[in-house]
Amino acid sequence: MMWRKGTVLSLGKAWSGAQECRVRIDGETEAKALAYTPMVGQVRVGDEVLLSAAAAAKKLGTGGYLMVVAIPGRLPADPPPAPGHIVKARYTPLQYMTMGADEQESPWHEQLREADSIEGLPVVVADLHSALPAVVAAIRARKPDARIAYIMDDGGALPVWFSQACSRLTELGHILGTISARQAFGGELETVNI
């Protein structure tokens, strides 16, 4: 881990579960950062934040974002007691508790209890998340009324919230939403496997 302290200077674009911000790091340089609001709460201008900088420092696939790990001066309240006992990002400092779609408390439990096959359903497999908009456009061109769901697994970004494509495609009604599978999390539905 490469830790940094920062101060939020301004807020940028926000989308489903994510908030961009501009931060001053250690009182010197400025950088862009990303907060996953369901995990760390809503960032505000003037907040002191704890940041993870390793991926950005190595210029890896975070889009240059430092990641907001916590707002130490204003930690979010504990969530209300909720059903579900699935832990995603397990064995990491940022474990995320959620309810699996097939758990008994889930509104989808009865529907999924007897499901044992996807026989007859068309499935598209793509090796890169960036193919999603093109795949959706191709399907819509041939079948405009298709009901499309996207399954994000842990082969890419763990939090669905990072994906502006998922957020925008859902917002526009081009996909029904996202199912996050395995260690990926943040979808409208959560599952432990595909």
Side-chain angles (χ1 to χ4, degrees), residues 1-35:
M1 292 289 290
M2 293 176 68
W3 296 99
R4 300 290 183 272
K5 288 185 199 174
T7 304
V8 176
L9 301 173
S10 63
L11 300 180
K13 187 167 50 169
W15 58 94
S16 179
Q19 173 68 60
E20 285 182 342
C21 56
R22 193 100 189 129
V23 295
R24 176 168 284 118
I25 303 168
D26 299 323
E28 295 178 13
T29 59
E30 288 188 23
K32 63 181 183 174
L34 190 66

Side-chain angles (χ1 to χ4, degrees), residues 47-50 70-76:
D47 279 342
E48 297 294 323
V49 292
L50 183 59
I71 309 166
R74 194 170 41 79
L75 296 174

Side-chain angles (χ1 to χ4, degrees), residues 95-125:
Q95 296 181 75
Y96 181 73
M97 291 294 302
T98 189
M99 179 174 56
D102 61 341
E103 288 189 70
Q104 290 180 341
E105 299 91 351
S106 165
W108 302 279
H109 175 74
E110 288 303 315
Q111 189 174 0
L112 292 173
R113 182 162 49 173
E114 301 300 320
D116 63 355
S117 171
I118 60 168
E119 187 174 334
L121 292 175
V123 175
V124 177
V125 177

